[in-house]
């Protein structure tokens, strides 16, 4: 019984592991260069899948980009040079996390502006409600009935 439970647990853990699309023929023989290539591949967007990194995508273009990254690293480029080269060919969109620049300031500032606008609107709404009566005034009959109830 325990063996079956352990087997099921191992299968669940194996299924939850990330499925990387890097093929064995793409892997570099130098472990340090391969680690750099994996790090860079995780930062680059697959232009076909768009919400996956090229490290996770099985698309042909993702494979080409993975090979290009590895080729540039073998040629001696730094990580920054590799990213700059790919961005120069495919544009800023290829980066999963866009760089902070004058062209992307609106992209980075929008969440902050939305939070400030929401906070300001909540503050204004709350200030309008303070001091405002929440109901209508009591009629004479209601006031007399209330006095009777409270008097008892």
């Amino acid at each position: 019984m325990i063996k079956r439970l352990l087997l099921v647990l191992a299968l669940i853990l194996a299924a939850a592991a990330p499925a990387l699309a890097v093929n064995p023929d793409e892997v570099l023989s130098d472990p340090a260069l391969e680690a750099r290539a994996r790090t860079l591949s995780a930062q680059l967007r697959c232009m076909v899948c768009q919400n996956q990194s090229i490290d996770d995508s099985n698309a042909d273009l993702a494979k080409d980009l993975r090979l290009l990254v590895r080729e540039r690293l073998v040629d001696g480029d730094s990580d920054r040079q590799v990213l700059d080269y790919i961005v120069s060919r495919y544009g800023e969109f290829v980066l999963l996390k866009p760089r902070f620049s004058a062209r992307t300031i609106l992209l980075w500032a929008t969440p902050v502006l939305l939070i400030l606008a929401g906070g300001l609107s909540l503050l204004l709404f709350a200030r309008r409600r303070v001091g405002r009566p929440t109901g209508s005034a009591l009629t004479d009959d209601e006031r007399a009935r209330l006095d009777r109830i409270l008097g008892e």
Side-chain angles (χ1 to χ4, degrees), residues 21-145:
V22 177
N23 298 326
D25 62 332
E26 298 174 29
V27 177
L28 296 172
S29 58
D30 182 1
L33 281 179
E34 180 61 27
R36 285 177 57 202
R38 290 288 177 106
T39 301
L40 290 172
S41 295
Q43 297 175 32
L44 297 171
R45 179 188 316 273
C46 174
M47 302 303 281
V48 176
C49 308
Q50 294 194 1
N51 284 331
Q52 282 184 325
S53 69
I54 63 170
D55 207 30
D56 298 330
S57 175
N58 285 324
D60 290 335
L61 180 60
K63 180 179 180 175
D64 292 343
L65 283 173
R66 286 192 304 266
L67 291 173
L68 179 62
V69 166
R70 284 165 173 75
E71 178 184 311
R72 302 289 296 196
L73 288 175
V74 168
D75 289 346
D77 285 0
S78 69
D79 293 357
R80 179 73 178 190
Q81 288 172 322
V82 172
L83 289 177
D84 288 344
Y85 178 76
I86 292 177
V87 167
S88 72
R89 291 186 71 193
Y90 294 96
E92 195 79 21
F93 184 71
V94 78
L95 297 174
L96 281 171
K97 182 180 176 188
R99 298 173 179 160
F100 186 76
S101 68
R103 296 177 75 192
T104 60
I105 189 77
L106 186 61
L107 176 71
W108 287 101
T110 299
V112 174
L113 293 174
L114 288 174
I115 289 171
L116 289 175
L120 183 63
S121 64
L122 284 174
L123 181 68
L124 291 175
F125 179 75
R127 290 185 85 196
R128 273 193 220 144
R129 302 272 308 167
V130 171
R132 193 186 241 185
T134 57
S136 60
L138 296 176
T139 63
D140 291 336
D141 290 338
E142 292 170 334
R143 186 171 305 276
R145 185 170 176 236

